Structures are given as C-alpha cells and as structure tokens.
Amino acid sequence: MTLPDPEDRLPDPSETPRREFLKAAVALGGSAGLSACVEAPAADPGGAADLADVPTGDPDAVPDRQHAWNEALPTDADGNVRPPRHHVLRYADLGFDPTDGDERAAARETLREALSALERAFAWSNEGLLFTVGYAPAYFDRFDASLPASVDLPAPTALTEMEDPAFDEADLLIHLASDAPAALLSADEALFGDAGAVRSGDREEQVPNLSGVLDPVDRRTGFVGAGLPREHRGVPGLPEDAPIPEEAPLMMGFRNGFRASQATEDRVTVREGPFSGATTQHVAALRLQLNAWWRQESHAQRVAKLFSPVHAAEERVGDWGEKLGADPAVADLPEDAVAYARDSGVVGHAQKAARAREDGAPLLLRRDFDTTDGDHAGVHFLTNQRRIGEFVRVRAAMTGADIADETAVGSRVNNGILQYVFVRRRGNYLLPPRRHRVLPTPTPE
Ligand code: HEM
C-alpha cells in the first residue's frame, strides 16, 4: 500500500489565496507543511513570509509569567489586544518516569535547552513566537506530594447538562502561536519532528531531540483574524454562502476580546505559594454548527444572541463589532439578563457571561481561536483564569440554566449561542511561571 503524499492535502498554491494556503500548511504541519509555507510567495498581512524575515529572540527579554503575552502583541485602533493569527496545540505524555530522579533530571535538561533554543531563535512576539507549557492534573498525580492549596487544578469534568465531553488527560500541553506560519511550524517540527534545529533571521539554533522526553498524543491547530474565517466557508458547519464580513476574526462574524470584557493578566495570575506567577488554563474543543446561524437568523438576531437584545434594538454593534470600541458594555445594560429574557424571549451570550464578573471585573482571559480540525468548523476555547473554579462559575453563567428555568427562553434555543456550540472535549492545565515551567514537581523549590 502506498501512503498518500502529504502535500496532496495542500490546495494548489496557484489557485488558492495565500492566507488559506498558509492555514492549510499549519494544519498539515511536519516538514511538508513547513516547506510549503516557506515557499509560498507574496506576503501575508499578518506575519513574515520567510524564516529569514522572522525577528530573532532574547531569552532575557521573556517575562516570568508564561501567559504574559499582551505586551508582546499589537493592539487594534481601539486599543484591544490582537491575538496571534496561527496556533498549534501539542498534547504529549511523558516518555520517562518522573519519579526516577536521574531520568527526570536528564529530561529536564533536554526540555529546558529545547525551550531556551526557541526563545533565542524567535522574538517573544506575534512576529516571532509565543508559547506556553501547561501541565495537567494527571501529570501532578504521578507524584506523591500534592499541589499547594494556592493552586486550584481539578481534573476536567462535564460542566453542563447538555454535554458529554471526552477529557484530555495527556501530561502536558504546549501551545505555540505566531502570525508567521513558518516560525510556528519550525518550532513545532523542532520539538516534535526530526528537524533538530530552528532557524530565523540569520540564526540557527540546535534543538535537542525530545523523543524519550515527550510522547506526542495529539496535535490541534487553529486561526483567528480578519479574512481567515471567510476562507474556510464550505467546511461542514460553516456554509459556503455565509456572509462573514472580511474584517471579522471569527466564524460567527463578529470580533471579540474587547479590552473591557477581558480579565487582565494580573487578575488571572496565581499570587501565592511556590507557583506564584502561574495561571490556570482551560481548553475546550467546541464544534460549531452555523448553518442556521448564517441562513436563518437576521443580522439583528445574531447581534441579540451574541451580545444582547438591547445591542440589536439600538444598533450598537455595527457589521462586525466595529462600533463597540474597547467595551461592548454588556455588564451595564439597563436591566438584568433575566428581566430582558422575560421581555424579549432572547438572551445574549456576552450579557449572560458578564453576570459572573467580580466587582465589575471579568474573571477570564479568553484566548480562543477557530479551527477546521476534523474537517469541521469549531473553536478551541482556551482561557486563562486564576482558579479553574472561576471558569466553572463563568461557564454556569454563560449556560444560563437559571434563565431557561425562569423565562420562556429555552435551554438551548434563544439562549445566547448555545444552539450553535457543542462541547466535545475539555482539559485543565497549570501554566507554571517560567522559572518552574520545565517538568516541575507539585512542590517546586
Ligand atoms: C463559539 C464560541 C464563542 C464565541 C463566538 C464567543 C463570542 C463572544 C463575544 C463576541 C463576546 C463579546 C465580548 C468580548 O469578546 O470581549 C464574548 C464575551 C464573553 N464570552 Fe464568549 N464566545 C464563545 C464561547 C464562550 C464560552 C464557551 C464561554 C465560557 C465561559 C464564554 C465566555 C465569555 C465571557 C466571560 C465573555 C465576557 C463577558 C464580560 O464582558 O464580562 N464564551 N464572547
């Protein structure tokens, strides 16, 4: 039997917009994906086309908090942080016994050197590479000691009555993000392929082979940013004729991540104990089914369901969110979400989720991105928060079972975007501060 040439899975570059081609190259990965995006002509608005144009890095300039990305990212004209356009999630198990001191010491040295090589090769920015290393509860369970009380990291569970998710229990999750697909794939190949080195600018950094340290379990990819969702119309779940505005960064057709609706990096940081400077991460794989969203709902209905019925009635949003500036003002609607749902029969997603704010401040720093993994429209819903329990609370507010109980709004229908979003998998992680990011024990020095 002959295996298909991996490059057969790439569209013809002469007939495909460059953005779409690069996204396909990231999804394909491996050396085929890397050489495809290095060779793809013309510039993407997002990132350098060629590794030679990717800025090199300085490990001394990398912050101690792994989740400190905002300072390294551009902002839009309204001051909202603009996330990197391309993402890879790498799930891996340990390839050694971490309770064996010698094996662990050797593995730590190898992984430490690999991560440092990435930092030397690529600037800590959207133009270079941003990355985090997170550890699952299953990783810490391998040790006799327990995590300190200052870390809230339960195993993932189902969070609504509407879902029956699978749980991601690989030991660790490495999240790689960049505007430059070539940088992203070069890092990915060096960590999990056999490239042995990363290149950028005029620099080449050797990366030690990680086989024996990390056993790859899964690879997921995604994208967020103007133009990208439009190019994936036609994948199951996202109709070919969906009128997604060119400027919209997400498949549902609006921008998100407004500054006033995001937790700050300080708010999501663990403040005490040996892991001070850490954050927790929840990653849910969501499937999107947007046929009715795009074919049956009007623009006003989409605004009502994503933001609130007030936003629709007062035309606050614009075509893709451009009228909202840096604050969608979902927390200070004239009446509460339940009262609105009773009157209008609809409740907005953001309006519901904002009920979980504490002292007026959001608890989650959302860094989600769209995907066509599994050849279906979806979202990798990735958030940081100080405690996983805070995610659970916000998710309950977003689910709005109380609203469905007290009003004519259904448990899914007219209840924000629940009708369109299906939870497939959930996973929880601790992102230790950088000083403990390499295979920590539950009680690092
Ligand atoms: C397809 C999936 C989703 C889409 C397209 C989406 C979209 C949005 C949009 C457009 C906003 C408006 C404000 C902003 O982003 O800054 C928002 C707010 C928000 N969403 Fe989502 N969302 C999705 C899933 C979720 C999920 C699964 C949660 C789980 C908890 C969630 C929690 C929130 C929160 C906490 C806010 C901010 C509320 C506040 O202002 O305090 N979202 N979302």
Side-chain angles (χ1 to χ4, degrees):
M1 190 182 92
T2 47
L3 290 170
D5 180 345
E7 294 194 37
D8 288 351
R9 288 166 49 202
L10 287 171
D12 181 342
S14 63
E15 293 173 7
T16 315
R18 181 179 155 83
R19 288 189 305 224
E20 188 180 337
F21 185 79
L22 290 176
K23 194 259 143 195
V26 171
L28 175 63
S31 49
L34 180 56
S35 52
C37 67
V38 168
E39 283 158 23
D44 181 57
D50 196 299
L51 283 169
D53 299 324
V54 172
T56 56
D58 169 11
D60 291 338
V62 179
D64 184 51
R65 298 187 291 191
Q66 290 199 72
H67 57 289
W69 288 19
N70 287 355
E71 286 284 304
L73 289 169
T75 48
D76 67 19
D78 296 312
N80 301 303
V81 172
R82 207 252 303 140
R85 288 167 66 84
H86 300 280
H87 298 256
V88 172
L89 297 173
R90 276 289 196 167
Y91 294 78
D93 275 334
L94 301 186
F96 66 96
D97 175 5
T99 59
D100 177 318
D102 290 344
E103 283 193 34
R104 182 165 163 272
R108 290 189 73 191
E109 202 39 52
T110 307
L111 182 57
R112 186 194 319 279
E113 177 47 29
L115 299 178
S116 300
L118 296 188
E119 289 176 347
R120 290 191 299 271
F122 302 114
W124 182 256
S125 78
N126 56 304
E127 295 175 344
L129 180 75
L130 294 169
F131 66 92
T132 62
V133 188
Y135 295 87
Y139 167 84
F140 290 110
D141 286 347
R142 290 172 174 273
F143 298 87
D144 291 334
S146 307
L147 283 165
S150 50
V151 171
D152 173 41
L153 186 73
T157 57
L159 296 180
T160 70
E161 288 186 357
M162 287 169 262
E163 65 184 63
D164 183 18
F167 301 116
D168 288 318
E169 282 164 345
D171 285 300
L172 57 88
L173 169 60
I174 298 183
H175 176 194
L176 305 166
S178 178
D179 284 352
L184 192 64
L185 289 182
S186 172
D188 189 26
E189 262 301 281
L191 294 180
F192 294 99
D194 49 16
V198 277
R199 271 194 312 117
S200 75
D202 55 5
R203 199 179 281 182
E204 179 164 302
E205 292 286 341
Q206 300 306 308
V207 178
N209 190 310
L210 287 179
S211 61
V213 177
L214 302 182
D215 285 343
V217 171
D218 203 1
R219 180 177 186 275
R220 303 180 196 163
T221 65
F223 50 90
V224 53
L228 291 165
R230 258 178 88 82
E231 285 163 7
H232 294 90
R233 292 178 297 180
V235 70
L238 183 63
E240 192 80 58
D241 54 358
I244 304 176
E246 169 66 23
E247 299 86 347
L250 295 174
M251 289 176 181
M252 293 190 90
F254 295 91
R255 66 173 163 156
N256 69 338
F258 297 90
R259 192 175 278 276
S261 280
Q262 287 280 46
T264 60
E265 289 173 344
D266 283 348
R267 178 64 186 77
V268 304
T269 300
V270 174
R271 296 208 174 138
E272 292 152 16
F275 285 105
S276 66
T279 188
T280 71
Q281 189 177 62
H282 178 81
V283 185
L286 309 179
R287 182 161 272 205
L288 290 178
Q289 188 44 264
L290 299 179
N291 293 347
W293 176 259
W294 285 114
R295 289 187 171 154
Q296 286 165 28
E297 309 272 23
S298 64
H299 181 73
Q301 285 169 319
R302 289 193 288 269
V303 169
K305 290 184 177 182
L306 197 50
F307 294 91
S308 83
V310 184
H311 285 70
E314 296 179 0
E315 298 186 8
R316 290 188 185 182
V317 170
D319 288 343
W320 49 275
E322 71 280 10
K323 283 167 76 175
L324 292 172
D327 184 359
V330 284
D332 48 7
L333 291 169
E335 294 171 43
D336 74 23
V338 175
Y340 254 89
R342 202 169 277 128
D343 287 352
S344 65
V346 177
V347 64
H349 160 73
Q351 168 191 25
K352 266 187 303 174
R355 298 181 302 158
R357 288 186 180 192
E358 240 175 56
D359 300 327
L363 302 181
L364 310 188
L365 177 52
R366 289 165 289 126
R367 287 181 169 158
D368 52 295
F369 45 90
D370 281 346
T371 183
T372 53
D373 283 352
D375 280 329
H376 202 284
V379 177
H380 292 301
F381 195 78
L382 185 156
T383 65
N384 295 131
Q385 51 284 312
R386 187 175 301 148
R387 305 173 63 82
I388 291 293
E390 293 174 329
F391 181 84
V392 174
R393 272 190 358 247
V394 179
R395 176 63 219 215
M398 179 221 159
T399 303
D402 54 322
I403 300 178
D405 285 347
E406 293 173 43
T407 70
V409 164
S411 57
R412 272 194 190 277
V413 177
N414 291 332
N415 194 340
I417 54 175
L418 294 183
Q419 190 187 342
Y420 300 103
V421 177
F422 302 87
V423 181
R424 305 291 296 246
R425 311 188 67 91
R426 293 193 180 280
N428 292 334
Y429 306 90
L430 178 70
L431 272 45
R434 184 162 163 265
R435 64 183 186 279
H436 294 317
R437 76 178 168 191
V438 180
L439 303 169
T441 68
T443 51
E445 297 287 290

